[in-house]
Amino acid sequence: YHVLMDSPEICGRLFAVVTRPRCEWTIQSCLDMSKRVGAFAVSGAILIHLKQYVDVIPCWRTNGVTNFPVSFLLERIDRDRSRGLCSEETWEYILEDLRMWISDAKASEGFAGDPGRRLGAPDVSGCGQWLPELAPT
């Protein structure tokens, strides 16, 4: 039984208070609700807030989140990496996971007539500084 009724609107409002001091209870409530209502961009944003970076790309990829700027994630990780709060191994793992998603999305473009087999590509605009292969030439 849930104290709050599930809805995308309530999920959005909960997310607005997730980072406020002394509102820790909202984090798990919002994460659970975002999964139940299919607001997986919010799920990823909460994982970023919790610094559970390794889980973000799989969450977005599995649930078809293609409209959340990956640059937001990479900026946070890069900042934590420069502060010694994120290891180089974790950084490289996440970049490789992202590259694999991009590659798999390109490979699935041939399935345009079969949307069930097509993988949406992540929003990698602004990610050229971390993924030089994406930088304009």
Side-chain angles (χ1 to χ4, degrees):
Y1 135 78
H2 308 291
V3 175
L4 300 170
M5 296 293 292
D6 285 348
S7 84
E9 181 183 355
I10 290 175
C11 184
R13 289 177 183 221
L14 269 177
F15 182 67
V17 297
V18 159
T19 58
R20 291 185 183 172
R22 298 194 330 220
C23 285
E24 293 84 14
W25 68 271
T26 62
I27 295 171
Q28 191 63 50
S29 296
C30 188
L31 184 59
D32 293 346
M33 187 181 298
S34 68
K35 290 178 180 179
R36 288 192 301 269
V37 301
F40 297 107
V42 172
S43 301
I46 292 170
L47 292 171
I48 293 169
H49 172 71
L50 295 172
K51 299 184 185 299
Q52 294 178 3
Y53 300 131
V54 172
D55 298 326
V56 177
I57 297 295
C59 171
W60 287 343
R61 178 184 171 141
T62 301
N63 296 294
V65 176
T66 59
N67 60 346
F68 195 104
V70 175
S71 60
F72 180 83
L73 167 65
L74 298 182
E75 285 170 2
R76 297 307 179 279
I77 299 171
D78 197 24
R79 182 181 61 208
D80 281 356
R81 190 172 62 119
S82 68
R83 295 175 179 167
L85 301 173
C86 179
S87 71
E88 287 298 316
E89 292 82 16
T90 298
W91 172 250
E92 290 301 326
Y93 176 84
I94 291 166
L95 290 179
E96 188 55 36
D97 207 13
L98 180 56
R99 285 184 180 106
M100 189 176 302
W101 183 8
I102 294 166
S103 174
D104 290 348
K106 284 182 182 173
S108 77
E109 287 175 356
F111 300 114
D114 186 359
R117 294 182 63 190
R118 186 140 193 256
L119 177 64
D123 177 359
V124 292
S125 55
C127 292
Q129 70 185 54
W130 303 288
L131 297 168
E133 63 271 23
L134 299 177
T137 56

